[in-house]
Amino acid sequence: MAEPILVAEQIAKRFGEVVALQPSSFSIGPGRIVGLLGGNGAGKTTTMAILLGLLRPTGGEVCIFGLELERHRYQILPRMNFSSPYVDLPHRLTVVENLKVYGRLYGVRRLEERIATLAADLEIGEFMKRPVGKLSAGQRTRIALAKSLINRPTLLMLDEPTASLDPDTADWVRTYLERYRAATGATILLASHNMAEVERLCDDVIMLKAGRMVDHGSPARLIERYGRRNMEEVFLDIARARATPL
Amino acid sequence: MTEPAVVELAPTGPLGRIYALALRHLYLLRGSWPRLLELVYWPTVQMILWGMITQFLVTESTWVQQAGGALIAGVLLWDVLFRGSLGFTITFLEEMWSRNLGHLFVSPLRPVEMVVAFMLMSLVRTLIGTGGAAVIAIILYHYSVFDMGLALVAFFAALLVMSWSFGMFVSALILRFGLGAESLAWFLVFALAPVSCVYYPVSVLPDWVEPIAFAFPSSHIFEGMRAVLIDHEFRFDLWRNAMLLDIAYLAGGAAAFLFSVRVARQRGLLHQVGE
């Protein structure tokens, strides 16, 4: 079996008396798409921030590419990237300026060529010279995706990648992620509230509730285990604490 | 999809990443005329005002007659300190305002490289702001601060280094307390004005305040500036004192900034920037 790309060992986070994440362990294998699910305040963003190194856990450790994140942060980060609705790209800079800045930060060789590839793949060529702040939510999502792919990351973390998108654009993003994984073999971790998205994209799901990892497994196995028809029903069962696995 | 099997990453090193972040802010300045106007507006207005005051006082005060340019030079050099500090902090604030800090802190950019990029932008912003005012002083009052020659370069460098220390310290406070504390960027540095002795010698201060004044590099620099303008002498001892203090201040400012980044990582402030 292939070595996991990411291993979280008993990671936990407290803010004073508030427990944001109880000790949780999981690992993600190469080339997998894993969903991080949970209601508001379940600990998804906290977990993702810890895995990105934006937030220091109060306990446990994270290993990515076989390296401990705290100690080898700057060896790991060039091979990762992320996108989140909580973090923006500078609105006054044009799309191409943003991509040039991030391409240089990640040390992308033949940057112009890379930007042209992303512009074609993500169909953003027509607004490359427009300021990011002047774009629609759907266009901005594609730009954020372009930034998160500028270094062609081996590990991509996406926090609610289709939040506030219309169904057509959301479907376009999901299709793109499927194709990206197929083309590159990248590992993708995504936090989402959209159960249809999770069922469609994810090989595995980590369920969080009130800062605790309550279950994990493939969508099909979770549906079967809870005796439900889809992930939406599994999610509601867990969120409302009205069911236990069969 | 045309995704290549591999995208080559070249280890650009610190200079490449520093340049990338500086480029982000140069793009911002280039594309925003209000930002450029703001850079030159206040130094120019200040300089015009103090130029008028100087022209009046030259006929009324023997001290000002001795060194007609002391007030204008004071205005311009004070602005180096003020604009330098503000330049650093505003550059940092631009990242907070645009909610971009999260992206930067998960990129390969190290906090020390971020600090150096902000210093570079502080230099650029200060040169634009005070450079414009200095040229206007030549046109309106036939006073050239550049007549100080190498002494001006020495004073400019010492003040700029001090301004970065304060910029780092203020940025650390803003990172710790959120955007609600952003006004610190504008007013905190003004607390230095009375003890920096920009327009008067340190000797006019009460005895007990003088040691406090000499604890700041700026008081040594403005004393040195007056020595050049009045006595036509470059006081190396004053400049050396300023630079030694600058080193201590720079170390303190950097420590405060890096500590605040560490605390921000513990408290989750990097990806949830706000008031």
Side-chain angles (χ1 to χ4, degrees):
Chain A
M1 192 175 159
E3 285 288 306
I5 288 281
L6 184 154
V7 178
E9 193 73 47
Q10 292 293 301
I11 54 166
K13 184 66 191 178
R14 295 178 73 96
F15 294 102
E17 294 300 305
V18 178
V19 178
L21 185 67
Q22 294 190 26
S24 306
S25 299
F26 55 89
S27 62
I28 301 175
R32 310 286 286 177
I33 300 185
V34 177
L36 207 50
L37 294 195
N40 295 324
K44 300 187 301 294
T45 300
T46 300
T47 304
M48 199 164 268
I50 289 172
L51 300 179
L52 286 162
L54 278 176
L55 184 62
R56 202 174 185 156
T58 39
E61 69 171 30
V62 177
C63 285
I64 297 175
F65 310 128
L67 299 169
E68 209 260 300
L69 180 59
E70 272 300 311
R71 292 212 334 248
H72 301 280
R73 186 177 165 76
Y74 296 104
Q75 283 168 265
I76 295 169
L77 289 175
R79 298 170 62 194
M80 291 170 61
N81 215 318
F82 99 119
S83 159
S84 164
Y86 302 111
V87 183
D88 277 340
L89 289 168
H91 281 200
R92 293 216 166 247
L93 266 58
T94 64
V95 174
V96 73
E97 286 171 346
N98 267 299
L99 294 178
K100 277 183 183 173
V101 167
Y102 278 96
R104 285 177 183 277
L105 280 176
Y106 280 90
V108 176
R109 273 199 185 146
R110 295 196 290 272
L111 182 56
E112 303 286 337
E113 200 179 297
R114 178 64 183 155
I115 291 172
T117 302
L118 286 170
D121 282 356
L122 289 159
E123 299 169 22
I124 55 175
E126 63 186 288
F127 36 83
M128 291 296 274
K129 291 191 175 164
R130 286 172 57 189
V132 169
K134 303 261 186 202
L135 302 176
S136 70
Q139 290 166 338
R140 264 189 244 173
T141 300
R142 277 192 268 172
I143 303 310
L145 202 54
K147 174 263 158 187
S148 69
L149 299 175
I150 191 79
N151 57 331
R152 212 208 71 154
T154 310
L155 175 60
L156 178 62
M157 298 201 200
L158 304 170
D159 194 358
E160 300 183 29
T162 57
S164 74
L165 295 183
D166 65 64
D168 180 43
T169 312
D171 181 68
W172 187 93
V173 170
R174 286 174 204 129
T175 304
Y176 184 84
L177 291 175
E178 286 173 326
R179 289 165 59 204
Y180 178 76
R181 191 262 294 259
T184 64
T187 304
I188 301 174
L189 177 68
L190 62 94
S192 179
H193 282 131
N194 188 311
M195 297 304 121
E197 175 172 284
V198 169
E199 264 186 76
R200 172 175 160 183
L201 287 179
C202 296
D203 305 305
D204 295 298
V205 171
I206 296 165
M207 304 288 296
L208 293 167
K209 184 185 175 186
R212 196 164 60 87
M213 198 175 119
V214 288
D215 214 337
H216 65 97
S218 69
R221 287 188 66 180
L222 286 170
I223 289 166
E224 186 189 330
R225 197 183 303 163
Y226 284 82
R228 293 291 169 181
R229 287 174 298 179
N230 53 43
M231 280 302 294
E232 181 102 19
E233 291 182 0
V234 173
F235 180 87
L236 290 173
D237 275 0
I238 291 174
R240 294 171 184 174
R242 69 185 179 198
T244 51
L246 293 174
Chain B
M1 175 169 289
T2 50
E3 272 297 337
V6 175
V7 165
E8 282 181 63
L9 299 181
T12 48
L15 290 180
R17 291 187 292 269
I18 290 165
Y19 174 68
L21 187 57
L23 187 65
R24 173 256 192 275
H25 289 280
L26 289 172
Y27 282 146
L28 184 68
L29 277 183
R30 190 184 66 178
S32 172
W33 67 262
R35 280 177 171 81
L36 282 171
L37 180 65
E38 192 269 336
L39 285 182
V40 293
Y41 181 77
W42 287 113
T44 304
V45 169
Q46 280 252 76
M47 199 276 308
I48 290 172
L49 185 68
W50 282 94
M52 300 284 189
I53 293 169
T54 299
Q55 287 197 328
F56 168 70
L57 288 179
V58 146
T59 59
E60 303 293 322
S61 157
T62 51
W63 188 81
V64 177
Q65 277 169 6
Q66 277 182 307
L71 292 179
I72 293 178
V75 170
L76 290 171
L77 284 179
W78 166 253
D79 241 43
V80 171
L81 179 58
F82 178 62
R83 294 286 141 191
S85 174
L86 197 61
F88 187 101
T89 315
I90 293 286
T91 308
F92 177 70
L93 275 169
E94 293 280 8
E95 300 298 359
M96 291 186 84
W97 289 328
S98 62
R99 303 198 314 160
N100 188 41
L101 274 184
H103 282 308
L104 294 179
F105 278 103
V106 299
S107 79
L109 182 78
R110 287 139 168 94
V112 171
E113 294 162 2
M114 182 182 281
V115 164
V116 176
F118 290 171
M119 286 173 175
L120 265 179
M121 286 313 300
S122 159
L123 172 63
V124 169
R125 295 175 71 107
T126 305
L127 284 175
I128 293 172
T130 55
V135 170
I136 288 170
I138 297 171
I139 297 165
L140 291 184
Y141 305 114
H142 310 293
Y143 174 76
S144 174
V145 72
F146 303 109
D147 288 344
M148 278 196 268
L150 284 178
L152 175 68
V153 177
F155 297 148
F156 182 88
L159 284 170
L160 200 61
V161 173
M162 181 181 172
S163 77
W164 292 339
S165 319
F166 270 77
M168 283 190 278
F169 181 68
V170 172
S171 299
L173 289 176
I174 294 171
L175 185 56
R176 170 65 187 83
F177 296 105
L179 284 174
E182 69 181 70
S183 54
L184 290 173
W186 283 268
F187 73 73
L188 207 62
V189 71
F190 275 110
L192 296 175
V195 287
S196 291
C197 302
V198 181
Y199 307 113
Y200 44 81
V202 174
S203 57
V204 306
L205 295 174
D207 288 346
W208 65 272
V209 182
E210 284 187 24
I212 297 172
F214 280 126
F216 293 98
S218 46
S219 62
H220 297 271
I221 295 161
F222 287 106
E223 286 286 282
M225 176 200 77
R226 280 183 288 273
V228 168
L229 294 174
I230 297 169
D231 307 323
H232 307 289
E233 174 196 8
F234 179 72
R235 291 270 308 274
F236 179 77
D237 58 326
L238 289 170
W239 183 77
R240 180 202 57 210
N241 293 345
M243 288 307 287
L244 288 174
L245 285 167
D246 267 346
I247 291 168
Y249 275 71
L250 200 61
F257 185 80
L258 295 176
F259 178 72
S260 79
V261 169
R262 190 183 167 85
V263 171
R265 280 190 65 217
Q266 283 165 349
R267 298 186 181 211
L269 304 175
L270 295 177
H271 61 295
Q272 287 173 335
V273 171
E275 293 182 334

